[in-house]
Every structure is written in structure tokens, then in C-alpha cells.
Amino acid sequence: MYDDNNIFAKILRKEIPCKPIYEDDKVFFFNDIKPQAKIHILAIPKMPVTDYNDFISKADNEMIKYFFDKINEVAKGQGLINSGFRIVTNNGKDANQEVPHFHFHILGGENLKGIK
Ligand code: AMP
């Protein structure tokens, strides 16, 4: 079940600060507080969904396409299309998901060898 008090829910409600990259009524992108690469952005849908499984079960096709298109737009805006980038999501316990609001990590800005 979705926990309204998770840290990304608080960020969405502007109860705690972050460094925003892009926001509209459907999605929010902001910098990871502990970046694993020169560019490390978190992409979240504005839906109460805990993980990838929850998102893909509840979001309609329009939202899924919208989310992935925005990830690409943000990657483009960061100059990552030519240099390359990684998108990754941790789903659940064995993936060590820390924050139970579904998110993708967008990593880039340097060679990602050795970076998870
Ligand atoms: P995950 O392990 O996939 O759930 O990733 C959670 C990510 O959230 C980690 O990379 C953390 O560094 C990041 N994080 C945790 N708290 C914050 C915060 N307040 N602002 C930005 N990023 C955060």
C-alpha cells in the first residue's frame, strides 16, 4: 500500500526541498541528493504508486507513454542523447528500493562503467 509519508510524497507536496529539473501536472524530475554520476536525476509520476509493478498495473497507456517521453525530453535537455545515459528503477526488496514511490534514475554526464 502507498505510504503518503514517504520522502518523495513530501517532496511532491513541497514539504521538503529539492532541486527541481522539470515539473508539470503529471510528472516531476529532480536531482538525486546523493548523485552516483555527474548527472543523476530522479523521475517520478504524480501518482500514488509504490514501484514499477504498481505503476504499470495502474497507469493507463497514455500516462506510460507520457512518462517515458518526458524522460527522453529531460535526457535531451541535459545533453545526454549523444553522449548516452542509463535509466534504471529498483523494484522492491531484492533491488534494495529505498523510497516507496515509483521512480526512475536517469544517470549520465560521464562514462557509467562501474556505476550501478
Ligand atoms: P531507490 O534506492 O531506487 O529507492 O533510490 C532512492 C534514491 O532517492 C536514492 O538514490 C537517494 O539518494 C535518493 N533520495 C533520498 N532522499 C532524497 C531527497 N530528499 N532528495 C533527493 N533524492 C533523495
Side-chain angles (χ1 to χ4, degrees):
M1 207 173 74
Y2 185 79
D3 171 14
D4 259 332
N5 283 319
N6 79 74
I7 201 142
F8 293 173
K10 290 180 181 172
I11 284 176
L12 279 178
R13 292 194 299 267
K14 318 288 185 208
E15 290 168 10
I16 57 170
C18 72
K19 291 193 175 143
I21 300 286
Y22 175 82
E23 178 169 21
D24 63 26
D25 58 330
K26 294 189 182 68
V27 297
F28 190 45
F29 291 68
F30 55 102
N31 279 326
D32 196 291
I33 205 166
K34 275 187 0 204
Q36 304 296 314
K38 276 190 187 146
I39 294 175
H40 187 171
I41 295 168
L42 298 169
I44 66 178
K46 290 187 173 177
M47 290 175 65
V49 285
T50 57
D51 56 19
Y52 172 75
N53 172 65
D54 200 20
F55 175 68
I56 218 72
S57 308
K58 292 178 180 158
D60 61 19
N61 287 349
E62 192 183 335
M63 180 61 191
I64 293 166
K65 168 94 170 101
Y66 189 85
F67 188 53
F68 278 97
D69 280 347
K70 280 294 167 198
I71 288 174
N72 199 56
E73 263 182 46
V74 167
K76 199 180 278 179
Q78 297 287 319
L80 298 179
I81 296 297
N82 289 332
S83 54
F85 62 100
R86 176 176 297 148
I87 53 175
V88 64
T89 187
N90 294 314
N91 190 117
K93 192 161 49 74
D94 279 356
N96 300 306
Q97 181 181 355
E98 282 170 26
V99 181
H101 182 116
F102 168 58
H103 52 280
F104 264 109
H105 300 255
I106 305 171
L107 297 152
E110 63 180 307
N111 189 282
L112 297 173
K113 194 175 179 189
I115 294 173
K116 276 193 257 172

